[in-house]
Amino acid sequence: MLEVRTQVAIIGAGPAGLLLGHLLSREGIDNVIFEHRSREYVEHRVRAGVIEYGIAELLSDAGVGERMRRDGLVHHGIELRFDRASHRVALSELAGGKSITVYGQQEVVKDLVAARLELGAPLYFEAEVTSLDGLTTDRPSLEVATSEGSMRVTSDFVAGCDGTFGVANRAIPENLVRRYERTYPFSWLGIIAQAPPATEELIYCRHENGFALYSMRSPEISRLYLGVRPEETLDEWPDERIWEELSLRLATDAVPEIGRGPILERGISALRSIVLEPMRYGRLFLAGDSAHIVPPTGAKGMNLALADVRALSRAFLARYQRGDEALLDVYSDTCLERVWRAEEFSTFMTQMLHPSYTDEFENGVQMARLRQVVTSEAAATVLARNYVNLCSV
Ligand code: RFL
Ligand code: PHB
């Protein structure tokens, strides 16, 4: 069995694990990343698209924002669509001039993998962490399975950046962690299509048939989502039906049709909220989706994951440079305050834009909320500030 010794062992090469590794390596803190999947897989997994203002700055400051600044699309507003009309929320005007950047998560991952390889820091793909031990001692260890055999890793600390279904959060004894959870009666069917975006800005749409979202990845590639019932499967949604339904929901009196094109990717994901409290157990620190899930309507998941590791990297830095563990001690509380704000915002957006199929009272309330956002500058300002820069600290 191969023995590995490092300061921080990182599980998972999603945005959280990769950025944490990068921030630590830049400061000379020794770390190793273990990723269950192949490089090809993680670099092509289609997920998030919206990067907040402060998180884009974080990536730039870390020296991994060059391609994002060049190819990312900077947006100053979004559209809210309902009752066949479109209403612009002027994000930048309402949020102190700040903007969002539309740039695919898999591009962030590619940039971070490239930076890691350039630094020559260790990153193992197809290396599955199978168990964690000694988390409450000062020498925690991991067992890692690879095609070439197993590794035993000992470290000072472990960062669990391995998503909801990873091993890290399950290593915390059940009686020491509180799990808050909500499932929503919707899923999102998402597609990537070779079709020029309908407008320059994202469109969040509420229609009586359900939610729709028009996003994009480039001037040629669109990213669209349909709210569907949780039991629905991709088999029930041939291309023609997807386009018909998107066209129907997104139609306005001014623009009754949307452009169509070949569908390059498709997937269905359930909408959920999860928060684990605390995000620490002994020398194990959770970051990103391993500690919390938000429904995607607020576009916060990746932003929260990156904000967690900004806090965690600062805490490790204080520990290694000054022997000061105060930031590690407040890590969980610091992050959870932001996480709950993101849960609140994501719930607000979800509940405003996904019509209930059963509760007409709920639908009346939703319409009142939407009308308030598009007529009250105070209400629009709250939305804009949360959308653009909730994860600022
Ligand atoms: P990830 O990206 O899931 O990475 C975890 C990694 O850990 C690996 N792993 C293991 N490795 C080794 N050993 C094990 N035992 C392991 N178990 C797991 C996994 O293979 C994986 O590579 O978590 P991370 O880094 O915390 O990042 C979180 C984000 O991926 C997620 O929050 C976002 O994608 C959420 N999200 C959005 N976030 C935004 O900020 N803006 C958006 O616009 C946005 N849109 C979305 C989204 C998520 C979506 N889906 C598919 C749920 C839209 C959708 C449709
Ligand atoms: C995306 O572009 O994938 C996207 C945009 C906004 C969201 C969620 C996903 O709220």
Side-chain angles (χ1 to χ4, degrees), residues 136-162:
T136 52
T137 71
D138 58 5
R139 276 287 172 276
S141 65
L142 306 178
E143 293 244 11
V144 186
T146 74
S147 56
E148 278 140 47
S150 22
M151 279 190 255
R152 185 175 171 79
V153 184
T154 48
S155 58
D156 300 337
F157 297 99
V158 178
C161 305
D162 51 345

PDB file of all heavy atoms in Angstrom, residues 136-162:
ATOM      1  N   THR A 136     -10.817  12.816  14.938  1.00  0.00           N
ATOM      2  CA  THR A 136     -10.745  13.610  16.168  1.00  0.00           C
ATOM      3  C   THR A 136      -9.355  13.524  16.809  1.00  0.00           C
ATOM      4  O   THR A 136      -9.158  13.983  17.933  1.00  0.00           O
ATOM      5  CB  THR A 136     -11.825  13.151  17.182  1.00  0.00           C
ATOM      6  OG1 THR A 136     -11.695  11.742  17.341  1.00  0.00           O
ATOM      7  CG2 THR A 136     -13.211  13.482  16.689  1.00  0.00           C
ATOM      8  N   THR A 137      -8.413  12.940  16.086  1.00  0.00           N
ATOM      9  CA  THR A 137      -7.021  12.936  16.562  1.00  0.00           C
ATOM     10  C   THR A 137      -6.237  13.986  15.771  1.00  0.00           C
ATOM     11  O   THR A 137      -6.797  14.615  14.863  1.00  0.00           O
ATOM     12  CB  THR A 137      -6.358  11.565  16.309  1.00  0.00           C
ATOM     13  OG1 THR A 137      -6.152  11.411  14.896  1.00  0.00           O
ATOM     14  CG2 THR A 137      -7.236  10.419  16.804  1.00  0.00           C
ATOM     15  N   ASP A 138      -4.938  14.148  16.073  1.00  0.00           N
ATOM     16  CA  ASP A 138      -4.187  15.128  15.275  1.00  0.00           C
ATOM     17  C   ASP A 138      -3.510  14.476  14.072  1.00  0.00           C
ATOM     18  O   ASP A 138      -2.691  15.101  13.393  1.00  0.00           O
ATOM     19  CB  ASP A 138      -3.195  15.921  16.142  1.00  0.00           C
ATOM     20  CG  ASP A 138      -2.206  15.012  16.842  1.00  0.00           C
ATOM     21  OD1 ASP A 138      -2.233  13.788  16.566  1.00  0.00           O
ATOM     22  OD2 ASP A 138      -1.421  15.513  17.671  1.00  0.00           O
ATOM     23  N   ARG A 139      -3.857  13.235  13.764  1.00  0.00           N
ATOM     24  CA  ARG A 139      -3.341  12.568  12.560  1.00  0.00           C
ATOM     25  C   ARG A 139      -4.467  11.849  11.818  1.00  0.00           C
ATOM     26  O   ARG A 139      -4.504  10.619  11.759  1.00  0.00           O
ATOM     27  CB  ARG A 139      -2.259  11.532  12.934  1.00  0.00           C
ATOM     28  CG  ARG A 139      -0.869  12.128  13.105  1.00  0.00           C
ATOM     29  CD  ARG A 139      -0.262  12.511  11.747  1.00  0.00           C
ATOM     30  NE  ARG A 139       0.985  13.255  11.908  1.00  0.00           N
ATOM     31  CZ  ARG A 139       1.052  14.578  12.123  1.00  0.00           C
ATOM     32  NH1 ARG A 139      -0.035  15.306  12.201  1.00  0.00           N
ATOM     33  NH2 ARG A 139       2.226  15.183  12.235  1.00  0.00           N
ATOM     34  N   PRO A 140      -5.407  12.600  11.245  1.00  0.00           N
ATOM     35  CA  PRO A 140      -6.475  11.920  10.507  1.00  0.00           C
ATOM     36  C   PRO A 140      -5.907  11.191   9.281  1.00  0.00           C
ATOM     37  O   PRO A 140      -4.834  11.558   8.789  1.00  0.00           O
ATOM     38  CB  PRO A 140      -7.394  13.061  10.077  1.00  0.00           C
ATOM     39  CG  PRO A 140      -6.588  14.298  10.187  1.00  0.00           C
ATOM     40  CD  PRO A 140      -5.537  14.060  11.212  1.00  0.00           C
ATOM     41  N   SER A 141      -6.611  10.176   8.831  1.00  0.00           N
ATOM     42  CA  SER A 141      -6.110   9.440   7.665  1.00  0.00           C
ATOM     43  C   SER A 141      -7.252   9.043   6.737  1.00  0.00           C
ATOM     44  O   SER A 141      -8.419   8.985   7.140  1.00  0.00           O
ATOM     45  CB  SER A 141      -5.351   8.199   8.124  1.00  0.00           C
ATOM     46  OG  SER A 141      -6.245   7.323   8.764  1.00  0.00           O
ATOM     47  N   LEU A 142      -6.868   8.804   5.494  1.00  0.00           N
ATOM     48  CA  LEU A 142      -7.828   8.393   4.461  1.00  0.00           C
ATOM     49  C   LEU A 142      -7.338   7.126   3.802  1.00  0.00           C
ATOM     50  O   LEU A 142      -6.130   6.915   3.688  1.00  0.00           O
ATOM     51  CB  LEU A 142      -7.907   9.445   3.326  1.00  0.00           C
ATOM     52  CG  LEU A 142      -8.187  10.893   3.646  1.00  0.00           C
ATOM     53  CD1 LEU A 142      -8.157  11.703   2.344  1.00  0.00           C
ATOM     54  CD2 LEU A 142      -9.546  11.016   4.302  1.00  0.00           C
ATOM     55  N   GLU A 143      -8.283   6.322   3.347  1.00  0.00           N
ATOM     56  CA  GLU A 143      -7.935   5.207   2.457  1.00  0.00           C
ATOM     57  C   GLU A 143      -8.449   5.569   1.077  1.00  0.00           C
ATOM     58  O   GLU A 143      -9.591   6.025   0.935  1.00  0.00           O
ATOM     59  CB  GLU A 143      -8.647   3.930   2.907  1.00  0.00           C
ATOM     60  CG  GLU A 143      -8.176   3.425   4.223  1.00  0.00           C
ATOM     61  CD  GLU A 143      -7.504   2.057   4.122  1.00  0.00           C
ATOM     62  OE1 GLU A 143      -7.230   1.596   2.990  1.00  0.00           O
ATOM     63  OE2 GLU A 143      -7.255   1.472   5.180  1.00  0.00           O
ATOM     64  N   VAL A 144      -7.595   5.393   0.092  1.00  0.00           N
ATOM     65  CA  VAL A 144      -7.966   5.785  -1.259  1.00  0.00           C
ATOM     66  C   VAL A 144      -7.775   4.603  -2.196  1.00  0.00           C
ATOM     67  O   VAL A 144      -6.707   3.972  -2.190  1.00  0.00           O
ATOM     68  CB  VAL A 144      -7.087   6.967  -1.742  1.00  0.00           C
ATOM     69  CG1 VAL A 144      -7.560   7.473  -3.093  1.00  0.00           C
ATOM     70  CG2 VAL A 144      -7.081   8.099  -0.718  1.00  0.00           C
ATOM     71  N   ALA A 145      -8.815   4.306  -2.994  1.00  0.00           N
ATOM     72  CA  ALA A 145      -8.716   3.189  -3.949  1.00  0.00           C
ATOM     73  C   ALA A 145      -8.440   3.731  -5.346  1.00  0.00           C
ATOM     74  O   ALA A 145      -9.139   4.626  -5.819  1.00  0.00           O
ATOM     75  CB  ALA A 145     -10.021   2.396  -3.945  1.00  0.00           C
ATOM     76  N   THR A 146      -7.388   3.216  -5.985  1.00  0.00           N
ATOM     77  CA  THR A 146      -7.101   3.610  -7.361  1.00  0.00           C
ATOM     78  C   THR A 146      -6.930   2.329  -8.188  1.00  0.00           C
ATOM     79  O   THR A 146      -6.833   1.238  -7.618  1.00  0.00           O
ATOM     80  CB  THR A 146      -5.790   4.422  -7.475  1.00  0.00           C
ATOM     81  OG1 THR A 146      -4.683   3.519  -7.309  1.00  0.00           O
ATOM     82  CG2 THR A 146      -5.695   5.525  -6.444  1.00  0.00           C
ATOM     83  N   SER A 147      -6.863   2.486  -9.509  1.00  0.00           N
ATOM     84  CA  SER A 147      -6.720   1.290 -10.352  1.00  0.00           C
ATOM     85  C   SER A 147      -5.362   0.626 -10.124  1.00  0.00           C
ATOM     86  O   SER A 147      -5.173  -0.546 -10.399  1.00  0.00           O
ATOM     87  CB  SER A 147      -6.904   1.662 -11.818  1.00  0.00           C
ATOM     88  OG  SER A 147      -5.982   2.664 -12.139  1.00  0.00           O
ATOM     89  N   GLU A 148      -4.410   1.401  -9.574  1.00  0.00           N
ATOM     90  CA  GLU A 148      -3.092   0.809  -9.322  1.00  0.00           C
ATOM     91  C   GLU A 148      -2.914   0.291  -7.890  1.00  0.00           C
ATOM     92  O   GLU A 148      -1.803  -0.010  -7.469  1.00  0.00           O
ATOM     93  CB  GLU A 148      -2.001   1.838  -9.611  1.00  0.00           C
ATOM     94  CG  GLU A 148      -1.671   1.912 -11.088  1.00  0.00           C
ATOM     95  CD  GLU A 148      -1.454   3.335 -11.544  1.00  0.00           C
ATOM     96  OE1 GLU A 148      -0.727   4.087 -10.866  1.00  0.00           O
ATOM     97  OE2 GLU A 148      -2.036   3.702 -12.589  1.00  0.00           O
ATOM     98  N   GLY A 149      -4.009   0.244  -7.146  1.00  0.00           N
ATOM     99  CA  GLY A 149      -3.914  -0.246  -5.768  1.00  0.00           C
ATOM    100  C   GLY A 149      -4.393   0.805  -4.796  1.00  0.00           C
ATOM    101  O   GLY A 149      -4.910   1.850  -5.203  1.00  0.00           O
ATOM    102  N   SER A 150      -4.187   0.559  -3.488  1.00  0.00           N
ATOM    103  CA  SER A 150      -4.713   1.545  -2.542  1.00  0.00           C
ATOM    104  C   SER A 150      -3.615   2.395  -1.933  1.00  0.00           C
ATOM    105  O   SER A 150      -2.438   2.038  -1.914  1.00  0.00           O
ATOM    106  CB  SER A 150      -5.547   0.878  -1.454  1.00  0.00           C
ATOM    107  OG  SER A 150      -5.214  -0.449  -1.321  1.00  0.00           O
ATOM    108  N   MET A 151      -4.064   3.554  -1.450  1.00  0.00           N
ATOM    109  CA  MET A 151      -3.149   4.493  -0.815  1.00  0.00           C
ATOM    110  C   MET A 151      -3.651   4.734   0.598  1.00  0.00           C
ATOM    111  O   MET A 151      -4.866   4.733   0.830  1.00  0.00           O
ATOM    112  CB  MET A 151      -3.213   5.844  -1.531  1.00  0.00           C
ATOM    113  CG  MET A 151      -2.409   5.931  -2.787  1.00  0.00           C
ATOM    114  SD  MET A 151      -2.387   7.665  -3.313  1.00  0.00           S
ATOM    115  CE  MET A 151      -3.503   7.609  -4.644  1.00  0.00           C
ATOM    116  N   ARG A 152      -2.705   4.977   1.492  1.00  0.00           N
ATOM    117  CA  ARG A 152      -3.088   5.418   2.829  1.00  0.00           C
ATOM    118  C   ARG A 152      -2.496   6.810   3.005  1.00  0.00           C
ATOM    119  O   ARG A 152      -1.293   7.009   2.857  1.00  0.00           O
ATOM    120  CB  ARG A 152      -2.525   4.443   3.858  1.00  0.00           C
ATOM    121  CG  ARG A 152      -2.975   4.766   5.236  1.00  0.00           C
ATOM    122  CD  ARG A 152      -2.500   3.719   6.240  1.00  0.00           C
ATOM    123  NE  ARG A 152      -2.788   4.210   7.575  1.00  0.00           N
ATOM    124  CZ  ARG A 152      -3.987   4.160   8.136  1.00  0.00           C
ATOM    125  NH1 ARG A 152      -4.989   3.634   7.479  1.00  0.00           N
ATOM    126  NH2 ARG A 152      -4.185   4.644   9.340  1.00  0.00           N
ATOM    127  N   VAL A 153      -3.381   7.756   3.321  1.00  0.00           N
ATOM    128  CA  VAL A 153      -2.958   9.149   3.382  1.00  0.00           C
ATOM    129  C   VAL A 153      -3.084   9.638   4.816  1.00  0.00           C
ATOM    130  O   VAL A 153      -4.164   9.541   5.405  1.00  0.00           O
ATOM    131  CB  VAL A 153      -3.872  10.021   2.484  1.00  0.00           C
ATOM    132  CG1 VAL A 153      -3.378  11.461   2.451  1.00  0.00           C
ATOM    133  CG2 VAL A 153      -3.965   9.442   1.088  1.00  0.00           C
ATOM    134  N   THR A 154      -2.016  10.154   5.385  1.00  0.00           N
ATOM    135  CA  THR A 154      -2.146  10.798   6.695  1.00  0.00           C
ATOM    136  C   THR A 154      -1.906  12.292   6.512  1.00  0.00           C
ATOM    137  O   THR A 154      -1.119  12.709   5.655  1.00  0.00           O
ATOM    138  CB  THR A 154      -1.139  10.241   7.732  1.00  0.00           C
ATOM    139  OG1 THR A 154       0.146  10.210   7.132  1.00  0.00           O
ATOM    140  CG2 THR A 154      -1.518   8.864   8.200  1.00  0.00           C
ATOM    141  N   SER A 155      -2.623  13.083   7.300  1.00  0.00           N
ATOM    142  CA  SER A 155      -2.558  14.537   7.114  1.00  0.00           C
ATOM    143  C   SER A 155      -2.794  15.227   8.450  1.00  0.00           C
ATOM    144  O   SER A 155      -3.077  14.583   9.457  1.00  0.00           O
ATOM    145  CB  SER A 155      -3.642  14.961   6.115  1.00  0.00           C
ATOM    146  OG  SER A 155      -4.917  14.560   6.585  1.00  0.00           O
ATOM    147  N   ASP A 156      -2.677  16.567   8.438  1.00  0.00           N
ATOM    148  CA  ASP A 156      -3.043  17.344   9.631  1.00  0.00           C
ATOM    149  C   ASP A 156      -4.554  17.583   9.652  1.00  0.00           C
ATOM    150  O   ASP A 156      -5.181  17.597  10.703  1.00  0.00           O
ATOM    151  CB  ASP A 156      -2.364  18.722   9.614  1.00  0.00           C
ATOM    152  CG  ASP A 156      -0.844  18.629   9.598  1.00  0.00           C
ATOM    153  OD1 ASP A 156      -0.310  17.591  10.033  1.00  0.00           O
ATOM    154  OD2 ASP A 156      -0.206  19.600   9.126  1.00  0.00           O
ATOM    155  N   PHE A 157      -5.082  17.842   8.446  1.00  0.00           N
ATOM    156  CA  PHE A 157      -6.507  18.170   8.314  1.00  0.00           C
ATOM    157  C   PHE A 157      -7.065  17.495   7.063  1.00  0.00           C
ATOM    158  O   PHE A 157      -6.321  17.194   6.126  1.00  0.00           O
ATOM    159  CB  PHE A 157      -6.705  19.692   8.156  1.00  0.00           C
ATOM    160  CG  PHE A 157      -6.253  20.475   9.364  1.00  0.00           C
ATOM    161  CD1 PHE A 157      -5.001  21.097   9.360  1.00  0.00           C
ATOM    162  CD2 PHE A 157      -7.059  20.581  10.483  1.00  0.00           C
ATOM    163  CE1 PHE A 157      -4.570  21.815  10.469  1.00  0.00           C
ATOM    164  CE2 PHE A 157      -6.628  21.302  11.597  1.00  0.00           C
ATOM    165  CZ  PHE A 157      -5.388  21.920  11.590  1.00  0.00           C
ATOM    166  N   VAL A 158      -8.398  17.319   7.053  1.00  0.00           N
ATOM    167  CA  VAL A 158      -9.076  16.789   5.866  1.00  0.00           C
ATOM    168  C   VAL A 158     -10.138  17.798   5.439  1.00  0.00           C
ATOM    169  O   VAL A 158     -10.897  18.303   6.283  1.00  0.00           O
ATOM    170  CB  VAL A 158      -9.758  15.429   6.168  1.00  0.00           C
ATOM    171  CG1 VAL A 158     -10.510  14.912   4.945  1.00  0.00           C
ATOM    172  CG2 VAL A 158      -8.728  14.398   6.641  1.00  0.00           C
ATOM    173  N   ALA A 159     -10.179  18.100   4.137  1.00  0.00           N
ATOM    174  CA  ALA A 159     -11.243  18.963   3.611  1.00  0.00           C
ATOM    175  C   ALA A 159     -12.186  18.088   2.792  1.00  0.00           C
ATOM    176  O   ALA A 159     -11.782  17.492   1.791  1.00  0.00           O
ATOM    177  CB  ALA A 159     -10.643  20.076   2.752  1.00  0.00           C
ATOM    178  N   GLY A 160     -13.436  18.002   3.223  1.00  0.00           N
ATOM    179  CA  GLY A 160     -14.452  17.212   2.512  1.00  0.00           C
ATOM    180  C   GLY A 160     -15.133  18.096   1.482  1.00  0.00           C
ATOM    181  O   GLY A 160     -16.058  18.840   1.784  1.00  0.00           O
ATOM    182  N   CYS A 161     -14.636  18.024   0.244  1.00  0.00           N
ATOM    183  CA  CYS A 161     -15.200  18.832  -0.856  1.00  0.00           C
ATOM    184  C   CYS A 161     -15.795  17.879  -1.878  1.00  0.00           C
ATOM    185  O   CYS A 161     -15.645  18.070  -3.084  1.00  0.00           O
ATOM    186  CB  CYS A 161     -14.111  19.683  -1.509  1.00  0.00           C
ATOM    187  SG  CYS A 161     -13.213  20.738  -0.360  1.00  0.00           S
ATOM    188  N   ASP A 162     -16.438  16.822  -1.399  1.00  0.00           N
ATOM    189  CA  ASP A 162     -16.837  15.723  -2.277  1.00  0.00           C
ATOM    190  C   ASP A 162     -18.327  15.663  -2.550  1.00  0.00           C
ATOM    191  O   ASP A 162     -18.863  14.607  -2.889  1.00  0.00           O
ATOM    192  CB  ASP A 162     -16.320  14.388  -1.720  1.00  0.00           C
ATOM    193  CG  ASP A 162     -16.670  14.174  -0.251  1.00  0.00           C
ATOM    194  OD1 ASP A 162     -17.064  15.156   0.414  1.00  0.00           O
ATOM    195  OD2 ASP A 162     -16.558  13.042   0.233  1.00  0.00           O
TER     196      ASP A 162
END
